[in-house]
Amino acid sequence: MTMSTINKALSSEAEISRRNFLKLGAGVLGGLALLELVGVGLMFLEPRSLEGEFGGVVNAGPVDSFPNGSITEFPAGRFFLIRAEDGGFLAIYRRCTHLGCSVSWKPEQNQFVCPCHGSHFDFYGDVENPPAPRALDTFAIHIEDGMVKVDTSRPQTREEFESSQFVYA
Ligand code: FES
């Protein structure tokens, strides 16, 4: 074997190993990109927790922080928490039962008022002025370790207010 043949053989080997190295590098980079794509995809597939906001369970706070005869609005949960004079709790969905506009509490009138077609509701969500066909919906309340928790995942419909709807600590 001549010197020139040896040099050619060596340079051809170097060329092959360089190609292999580049292929390996491209493979590793491709693998990393794929892993990242899968990771991002999984992030979007993971169910988003609705805890603390509308659609989930809202921890309204300690029982004692709501005086008897009070109404407290929870805009993120889309409800009003009523505490009656006898200490009973009622969570009222702010969605008007006519066509779904948001009602607001008017303390000077002692009423919930719908801005769309003039329905009015009393302190307990009962209709005082149509066209709303029935009382405002409610949400289930659980009292756990002295905290008031409101489950906003499913509104409960009702024709009118009844004292059995109150939840006590
Ligand atoms: S949506 Fe409330 S009165 Fe029509």
Side-chain angles (χ1 to χ4, degrees):
M1 194 180 277
T2 65
M3 200 56 161
S4 143
T5 316
I6 291 170
N7 277 346
K8 269 187 192 167
L10 284 177
S11 96
S12 149
E13 260 177 45
E15 183 62 27
I16 289 168
S17 83
R18 215 188 83 198
R19 266 197 227 129
N20 283 346
F21 178 76
L22 287 176
K23 270 189 200 164
L24 183 72
V28 167
L29 285 178
L32 285 175
L34 186 67
L35 270 179
E36 193 174 330
L37 269 179
V38 169
V40 169
L42 285 177
M43 258 173 52
F44 280 102
L45 284 178
E46 192 176 306
R48 202 168 70 85
S49 168
L50 291 172
E51 195 174 317
E53 59 185 276
F54 180 72
V57 174
V58 176
N59 186 345
V63 168
D64 295 341
S65 62
F66 303 101
N68 290 1
S70 67
I71 291 191
T72 309
E73 184 172 8
F74 288 81
R78 303 185 195 172
F79 67 88
F80 295 88
L81 187 66
I82 312 296
R83 189 157 199 199
E85 288 299 345
D86 71 352
F89 284 100
L90 189 65
I92 290 185
Y93 188 13
R94 73 178 183 196
R95 184 178 185 276
C96 179
T97 51
H98 179 223
L99 292 176
C101 294
S102 292
V103 302
S104 49
W105 174 248
K106 302 286 181 199
E108 65 284 2
Q109 293 172 230
N110 206 34
Q111 284 179 320
F112 292 99
V113 173
C114 180
C116 294
H117 313 98
S119 289
H120 291 182
F121 307 82
D122 71 10
F123 185 82
Y124 305 105
D126 253 345
V127 180
E128 285 195 325
N129 191 53
R134 57 184 172 76
L136 294 168
D137 296 341
T138 60
F139 291 120
I141 294 176
H142 305 283
I143 297 184
E144 286 173 22
D145 302 326
M147 305 296 279
V148 183
K149 296 186 177 178
V150 179
D151 181 357
T152 63
S153 63
R154 213 171 328 124
Q156 303 167 325
T157 59
R158 56 183 182 156
E159 285 307 309
E160 58 185 12
F161 165 71
E162 287 169 27
S163 58
S164 60
Q165 293 160 358
F166 281 134
V167 174
Y168 293 89

